[in-house]
Amino acid sequence: MVKLHTNFGDITLELDAEKAPKTVANFLKYAEKGFYDGTIFHRVIDGFMIQGGGFMSGLIQKETMEEIENEAANGLKNETYTIAMARTPNPHSASSQFFINTANNSFLNYTASTPQGFGYCVFGKVTAGKEVVDRIGKVKTGSQSGYQDVPLEDVVIESVEIC
């Protein structure tokens, strides 16, 4: 269990180390180092997801550790209130950024071991604080520094507590 303390309230996550061992270990390593403290949810799309874990206020990108293997073929689905790793078009490019699904996003699920079918690795779910996720998902957004869907008011991960 992990608790994200945000300026909007707390979000408790149950991580699935059995189905996504490398991904959970990676997330916990970042959490233990305090990497996520002070980062923001920098991308919010209502009815889709909230994404964070890589930028400070002002969209200052943090330096990350090495990229990890995509474990999206683990059977976990991108359903409402699940947490998954964000990545670039390269299937094995996830590092620190994650997102919480605010809808059932089946098009993000693993379908095949191809660049188009790899999907996004789900590694846990929200067990408390769903109303906080919903509030974050409804913030007003705009464009900033070449990025779209950026909250106009900072949504800050103040700290991460491993329970």
Side-chain angles (χ1 to χ4, degrees):
M1 300 289 277
V2 171
K3 191 176 287 189
L4 304 179
H5 298 284
T6 79
N7 62 332
F8 276 58
D10 294 343
I11 302 167
T12 303
L13 304 168
E14 180 182 318
L15 304 182
D16 194 332
E18 185 178 315
K19 292 192 175 174
K22 294 174 185 173
T23 307
V24 169
N26 177 71
F27 184 85
L28 291 175
K29 194 184 306 180
Y30 278 107
E32 288 165 357
K33 289 183 168 192
F35 178 91
Y36 293 123
D37 299 358
T39 60
I40 59 171
F41 281 96
H42 66 276
R43 186 169 174 233
V44 172
I45 302 175
D46 188 19
F48 178 39
M49 60 89 218
I50 62 174
Q51 181 176 338
F55 290 86
M56 304 295 285
S57 182
L59 293 177
I60 299 166
Q61 192 162 8
K62 293 191 76 170
E63 190 170 327
T64 61
M65 298 183 292
E66 64 281 346
E67 297 171 340
I68 61 170
E69 178 186 341
N70 188 331
E71 297 178 301
N74 62 17
L76 298 175
K77 305 295 183 202
N78 281 279
E79 297 171 340
T80 307
Y81 303 118
T82 57
I83 183 171
M85 291 303 293
R87 61 174 177 82
T88 70
N90 171 359
H92 303 288
S93 62
S95 59
S96 67
Q97 291 188 36
F98 60 87
F99 60 92
I100 298 173
N101 289 289
T102 58
N104 289 329
N105 294 315
S106 60
F107 68 96
L108 298 178
N109 293 337
Y110 174 89
T111 57
S113 292
T114 65
Q116 298 78 25
F118 233 103
Y120 292 77
C121 178
V122 172
F123 64 101
K125 63 184 178 184
V126 175
T127 58
K130 291 177 181 177
E131 71 286 351
V132 176
V133 173
D134 292 342
R135 275 186 51 223
I136 295 170
K138 297 286 186 196
V139 299
K140 289 188 183 341
T141 61
S143 296
Q144 182 181 339
S145 303
Y147 293 95
Q148 296 178 342
D149 308 307
V150 179
L152 299 179
E153 168 192 352
D154 280 349
V155 181
V156 182
I157 299 171
E158 296 167 339
S159 64
V160 177
E161 175 186 356
I162 300 170
C163 308

